[in-house]
């Protein structure tokens, strides 16, 4: 894939233009869904926030949903130890809750009533956040790690990729035990191929992308 330089703002504007111009969602529902996938070191939240703001400027209602808001309780995450790679890959994130609270209400005929987060990883308690009722045409932007390969019904998916060296450098020392998990994610899920948009961000000041795949 040919990559070309792009700024984060231009990327966000391009993603917003694409979503704003969709004639319909992939499943015929009323609410487009965007994934910004990447390791924590890739700072997916920044791109999600830029894209959300670009969509709001275009008159769209947007809800940003961080995957970290759907972590399982610590007692479940750490059942096999605090640094278990298998648990991180398959047991840290409550995918069933994401389906129930975020994607289910956005299906055709759904209510559009979405829970923006469920669990606070700092306090290890339920957030008790109120539900948000999205009007038809409202966009949900989900960002965080390990989002692809879960069959989530995204209408546009972005993978922010870091090379193994960049991932290791930009991951805080206390979290470097997760680096092998992302190596497995790359080999088993191949998010670069699965995503509609691939962004390389080894140097966060100079991202590059390969465009939006034609079928998106």
């Amino acid at each position: 894939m040919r990559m070309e330089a792009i700024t984060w703002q231009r990327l966000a504007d391009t993603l917003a233009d694409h979503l704003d111009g969709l004639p319909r969602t992939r499943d015929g529902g009323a609410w487009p869904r965007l994934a910004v996938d990447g390791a924590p070191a890739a700072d997916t939240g920044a791109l999600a926030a830029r894209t959300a703001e670009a969509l709001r400027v275009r008159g769209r209602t947007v809800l940003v949903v961080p995957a970290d808001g759907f972590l399982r309780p610590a007692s479940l995450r750490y059942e096999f130890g605090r640094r278990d790679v298998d648990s991180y890959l398959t047991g840290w994130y409550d995918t069933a809750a994401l389906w129930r609270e975020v994607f289910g209400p956005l299906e055709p005929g759904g209510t559009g009533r979405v829970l923006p987060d469920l669990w606070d990883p700092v306090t290890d308690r339920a957030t008790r956040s109120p539900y948000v009722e999205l009007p038809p045409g409202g966009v949900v932007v989900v960002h965080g790690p390990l989002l692809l390969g879960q069959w989530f019904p995204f209408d546009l998916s972005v993978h922010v990729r870091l090379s193994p060296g960049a991932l290791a450098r930009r991951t805080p020392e206390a979290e470097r035990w997760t680096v092998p998990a992302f190596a497995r994610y790359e080999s088993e899920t191949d998010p670069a191929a699965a995503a509609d948009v691939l962004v390389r961000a080894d140097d966060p000041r100079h991202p590059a992308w390969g465009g939006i795949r034609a079928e998106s």
Side-chain angles (χ1 to χ4, degrees), residues 103-149:
F103 296 108
L106 305 179
E107 292 177 347
T111 63
R113 188 170 179 264
V114 174
L115 189 66
D117 52 54
L118 182 65
W119 199 259
D120 185 331
V122 176
T123 63
D124 198 38
R125 294 178 181 275
T127 58
R128 303 190 184 279
S129 294
Y131 283 87
V132 175
E133 300 231 8
L134 284 173
V139 181
V140 167
V141 180
V142 184
H143 72 86
L146 312 175
L147 292 175
L148 304 181

